[in-house]
Amino acid sequence: MQGKTYIKMEKIQVNIKDVFGTVTPEAVEALAPEAAKSLAKLTDHTGEGNDFLGWVDLATRTGADLLDDINATAASLRDNCEVVVAIGIGGSYLGAKAVIEALSDSFAAYRNDNGPKVLFAGQNIGEDYLYELQDYLKNKKFGIIVISKSGTTTEPAIAFRLLKDQLEKQLGREEANKRIVAITDAKKGALRSLATTEGYKTYVIDDNVGGRFSVLSPVGLLPIAVAGFDIHALVKGAADMQKATLDGSDKAALTYAMTRNALYQAGKKIEILVNYNPKLHFFGEWWKQLYGESEGKDHKGIFPAAVDNSTDLHSMGQWIQDGERTIFETVISVAAQQHTTVIPFEEANLDGLNYIAGKRVDEVNKMAELGTRIAHVDGGVPNILINLPELSPYCLGSMIYFFEAACGISGYILGVNPFNQPGVEAYKKNMFALLEKPGYEKETEAIKSRLA
């Protein structure tokens, strides 16, 4: 595991010059007063959803003692497990997955020298997925991190029931309890009751931190630490971005929030988050939940999508270049790579690549990125460019807070409560009625009549 050394690199930068063929600088700047009021609502806790603003200063409230305790728990799981399964859905899954994938060796799953594998469950109700996971865990030393405020959310509750039963049968109940960590409500709920009864190690999900803003809490930090990454640096990056955003010395979050709203007002209804580094695929998935669940309300909101380039240039590229002009792109460009790979010279040159022989692969990738941005802007697709110095825990922590803060500001500019998710409950009511869950008798009768 990395030590607690921080090298503060060049900060995240936001470049919006390639939106000005669609909106004017004046149109963006016109939103500055509303953006400033929105930021004040976050800092003063005066806006809608202010009971879910615990994430705003979470990074600076997270002390070294808690991080050290999380690292100690992670070390125990690493020492005693070949596999650790993190059980959760939505924000209880995507943040940790995004950071782990961004920092991991791309082929870590096929190596045997990187400590325990961190797998995920409870993010779906796939029967084959759960069967194959349980089959994989047979005769393996495994542990469980179960993440749920209530302990009754259907998807993770099913996964936990199955895996807890399997672990208890493999080890016995007493030993199994030593390999289960629960991250849940401080006082109430089914999982809190079970954890107290069984003596699980526990961490708290604060009542004022919503799931999609929880990656910098134990929800994300414990799985990330189990995977072997430096959570001190991750939180430090977020804390530095928090301070700069809230004291006004860094305008990146404000600029991004203002620009995307100006584009939305100009008819750009879809935002595509673009990366040119395959390690950022799940960061795009985390970002989609963050913005989709925060802004998609009252029949308003930008639709968040994501692509992985250059891969998706050979699938979605045609639609982005020539399709309906209701889109804009936000491109994450990672300046420094972790490794160097140089394209070799070949005498025969049958593939015609000698013109780039001697260049790093990243040089070619950067030119693909630049060429694509130019082509898309020329094709009527505005581009916001986010420059990230590198994929490191510190920089990822900074980027996580940048997007969280911009999301809160953007939602308030849009005129919605960015911190609730009333629409998520609709499918649950129908599912419970169809499954004839106790307490849903009236809904069951109503839906049966509808389907008759």
Side-chain angles (χ1 to χ4, degrees), residues 15 68 73 97 127 137 169 171 190 217 227 240 266 320 344 349 362 431 434:
N15 187 326
D68 289 341
T73 300
K97 179 72 169 174
E127 185 165 12
L137 293 173
K169 286 177 178 175
L171 294 179
S217 77
D240 285 352
I320 294 169
N349 196 30
D362 192 52
M431 178 178 70
L434 289 163

Side-chain angles (χ1 to χ4, degrees), residues 251-313:
K251 306 289 187 184
L254 283 165
T255 299
Y256 175 56
M258 290 158 53
T259 305
R260 62 194 304 276
N261 274 278
L263 290 166
Y264 181 62
Q265 291 171 8
K268 303 300 181 182
K269 306 296 187 183
I270 300 166
E271 179 177 10
I272 303 175
L273 189 73
V274 185
N275 76 75
Y276 285 80
N277 188 316
K279 293 186 177 188
L280 286 173
H281 172 81
F282 274 95
F283 194 90
E285 296 301 299
W286 171 81
W287 173 88
K288 285 195 299 186
Q289 188 211 3
L290 179 66
Y291 280 82
E293 205 167 66
S294 295
E295 292 192 324
K297 291 154 198 171
D298 304 331
H299 297 172
K300 295 191 282 190
I302 299 167
F303 182 84
V307 295
D308 305 320
N309 285 349
S310 64
T311 303
D312 286 335
L313 292 175

Side-chain angles (χ1 to χ4, degrees), residues 350-416:
L350 294 176
D351 54 14
L353 290 182
N354 276 353
Y355 76 102
I356 53 174
K359 292 184 182 294
R360 289 183 58 185
V361 170
D362 192 52
E363 291 182 73
V364 179
N365 195 34
K366 288 292 196 300
M367 293 306 101
E369 175 190 314
L370 179 57
T372 303
R373 285 184 10 237
I374 292 170
H376 288 180
V377 171
D378 288 348
V381 181
N383 266 234
I384 300 170
L385 178 63
I386 297 173
N387 286 299
L388 185 71
E390 63 180 0
L391 290 184
S392 66
Y394 180 90
C395 288
L396 283 169
S398 297
M399 187 161 66
I400 286 167
Y401 192 86
F402 158 77
F403 275 119
E404 288 180 342
C407 183
I409 296 164
S410 184
Y412 282 145
I413 293 174
L414 181 64
V416 300

Side-chain angles (χ1 to χ4, degrees), residues 163-180:
L163 295 183
K164 179 171 73 74
D165 179 70
Q166 181 173 356
L167 188 61
E168 288 175 350
K169 286 177 178 175
Q170 288 182 202
L171 294 179
R173 186 169 167 180
E174 184 176 346
E175 283 302 311
N177 290 351
K178 296 175 183 177
R179 295 193 194 172
I180 298 174

Side-chain angles (χ1 to χ4, degrees), residues 187-226:
K187 297 178 181 178
K188 62 183 184 297
L191 183 55
R192 170 54 64 185
S193 297
L194 179 66
T196 300
T197 300
E198 299 295 341
Y200 301 155
K201 172 72 175 178
T202 63
Y203 293 98
V204 171
I205 304 173
D206 291 340
D207 286 340
N208 61 356
V209 177
R212 58 189 176 276
F213 291 88
S214 68
V215 60
L216 297 170
S217 77
V219 167
L221 296 177
L222 181 57
I224 292 165
V226 171

Side-chain angles (χ1 to χ4, degrees), residues 52 107 157 256 321:
F52 281 97
F107 299 94
Y256 175 56
Q321 185 70 48

Side-chain angles (χ1 to χ4, degrees), residues 57-76:
D57 62 348
L58 179 62
T60 51
R61 287 191 293 107
T62 301
D65 289 348
L66 175 58
L67 295 175
D68 289 341
D69 187 82
I70 290 171
N71 274 331
T73 300
S76 177

